[in-house]
Amino acid sequence: MFITIEGMDGSGKTTALQRVKQYLEDLNYKVVMTREPGGLPLSEKIRELILNKDGVGMEPWTEALLFIAARKEHLEKVIKPYLEKGYIVISDRFMDSTTAYQGGARGLGVDYLNELQKNILQGFLPDLTLYFELSFEDAEKRLSARPEEKNRLDEEGRKFKEAVKLAFEELVVKEPNRITVIDASKSPEEVFEQTKKVILEKIELWKKEKR
Ligand code: TYD
């Protein structure tokens, strides 16, 4: 089963996921967590190219295509092999980030990038996507508590981030069967509980379908 986690920076998705991974492992599931952009040496290099604050800016399409290139490597070399070995693979960000950040906020087109990626990924979609929803204000508050982690995209202003959020919301409406919203404004404990519940329900459903 392939699960992806999406949301604004500062939404607490990484923290919740680490706990979910431990929880699923305690239930004897084999789980691997990975992240985008990154996940293997070539993709980490691409990540550095894109997110490095010292780097000069780049054309929106250059940025989008680099993210997609890193994703293709990640999919073929990390995600698929683990799925074939029976792991639950959880990716911290995947295709919807490119659709929201580059398609929405950079203005390349939400539908266009969503369709383009489905073609490039040859229809390989996540079984489940969790969208961690958080207001701009709450996300900024959390981010200011860890300034050392800010990357080139975190430095973008309110307009950019509101556009990212809007694009995610558009995706939630378009693909309700795949994407579930998690209320990330709640306490870490509650966010973990919501995340766990949605994933467990999906696993049960998935098991039934496979039988
Ligand atoms: P990262 O430090 O991993 O942020 P987070 O921990 O919040 O995921 O940085 C990833 C940044 O790259 C984040 O600002 C979102 C952005 N991004 C895109 O713009 N497009 C993409 O396709 C991906 C995967 C990430």
Side-chain angles (χ1 to χ4, degrees), residues 9 13 47 51 67 71 93 97-98 101-102 151 153:
D9 301 284
K13 55 190 167 49
R47 175 190 175 89
L51 297 180
F67 275 122
R71 176 158 312 122
R93 296 193 183 280
S97 281
T98 306
Y101 283 80
Q102 283 68 49
N151 63 53
L153 288 157

Side-chain angles (χ1 to χ4, degrees), residues 36-69:
E36 289 207 354
L40 80 174
L42 177 58
S43 299
E44 291 290 342
K45 278 190 192 153
I46 302 179
R47 175 190 175 89
E48 240 183 82
L49 267 181
I50 314 174
L51 297 180
N52 196 336
K53 269 199 282 183
D54 309 331
V56 279
M58 54 181 78
E59 285 295 307
W61 268 114
T62 311
E63 192 177 278
L65 291 170
L66 282 174
F67 275 122
I68 294 172

Side-chain angles (χ1 to χ4, degrees), residues 31 34-35 37 44 54 62 112 115 119 127 140 144 192:
V31 185
T34 180
R35 68 160 185 182
E44 291 290 342
D54 309 331
T62 311
Y112 188 50
E115 289 311 312
N119 286 325
D127 297 297
E140 287 299 296
S144 61
F192 166 62

